[in-house]
Amino acid sequence: LEEEALRLSVRGTQLTVERQTLGEVVDPVILTRPSGETETLVLSEDQPGLWRATKMTTDMGLHSVTDGERTALAHVGPPNPREFVDVRSSAETLAPLAEATRGSVRRLTPTATAAADAAPEIPRIVALRRASSFAGSGWIGLKMTDASVLKGIDRIPLFVGFLGLAILLGALTMTWYREGR
């Protein structure tokens, strides 16, 4: 029951901006999307003292709207998305998938004998067609398939192109010189 209020609400992917005021006119508001992109919205009078604008959005995340004095926030999307449920770095999440496909999950950590600021030990990558395991001590395997086949490579020397351009420019220069330009 405030005299002056700014509200932002969400229904599905539709944002609704409401500005309640005792004034006769309201200024446009600025909508800021989760990406930081801004857009100016012009509100139209819906009822005496209540101005409204709606906007469809596909951006998931926190949206904000401001009129310069007041700010309102609204979240679009699921309230607790799966990718933010547990944000700890762990190999346990992918381990069942890796075991089912005969692979492995590796953490890139410095070796025990190296200093803490040393570069991580990266396993060798080996291309394999058929194997009972696609990982081992110090290596990981990539399963090779015939999903795509390279048929050939064409090489064209770069110098030939520049030589042709120089000859063409020389011929044009000689033509212009003969014509007296």
Side-chain angles (χ1 to χ4, degrees):
L1 298 176
E2 298 178 30
E3 297 170 349
E4 303 290 326
L6 179 65
R7 295 180 204 90
L8 179 60
S9 59
V10 178
R11 174 170 255 156
T13 58
Q14 180 177 328
L15 296 169
T16 302
V17 181
E18 292 181 340
R19 173 74 167 89
Q20 183 177 321
T21 182
L22 295 175
E24 297 294 322
V25 294
V26 295
D27 293 331
V29 295
I30 298 173
L31 172 70
T32 304
R33 299 178 189 284
S35 64
E37 180 183 321
T38 60
E39 180 180 353
T40 303
L41 298 177
V42 177
L43 305 174
S44 58
E45 190 171 20
D46 191 43
Q47 301 173 13
L50 184 63
W51 300 73
R52 187 175 283 148
T54 59
K55 182 74 179 175
M56 296 301 289
T57 185
T58 57
D59 297 335
M60 299 288 202
L62 191 62
H63 292 69
S64 70
V65 66
T66 183
D67 64 359
E69 295 179 30
R70 288 162 284 282
T71 301
L73 302 171
H75 181 267
V76 175
N80 196 8
R82 289 183 62 173
E83 60 268 21
F84 295 123
V85 170
D86 187 5
V87 294
R88 293 174 294 156
S89 175
S90 171
E92 294 171 7
T93 307
L94 292 176
L97 177 64
E99 288 175 19
T101 57
R102 299 177 309 199
S104 73
V105 178
R106 303 287 178 98
R107 295 191 59 96
L108 299 179
T109 58
T111 59
T113 58
D117 60 344
E121 182 180 333
I122 299 175
R124 283 183 305 119
I125 298 175
V126 180
L128 301 170
R129 290 210 178 272
R130 292 183 195 99
S132 60
S133 177
F134 287 93
S137 179
W139 66 275
I140 57 175
L142 293 178
K143 185 174 184 178
M144 301 300 292
T145 64
D146 292 325
S148 65
V149 178
L150 179 63
K151 295 289 184 181
I153 297 175
D154 290 333
R155 293 189 197 182
I156 300 172
L158 183 61
F159 180 72
V160 173
F162 287 130
L163 181 62
L165 181 61
I167 291 170
L168 178 64
L169 288 176
L172 287 174
T173 304
M174 293 301 289
T175 304
W176 287 340
Y177 180 75
R178 287 185 195 147
E179 292 179 0
R181 290 187 183 171

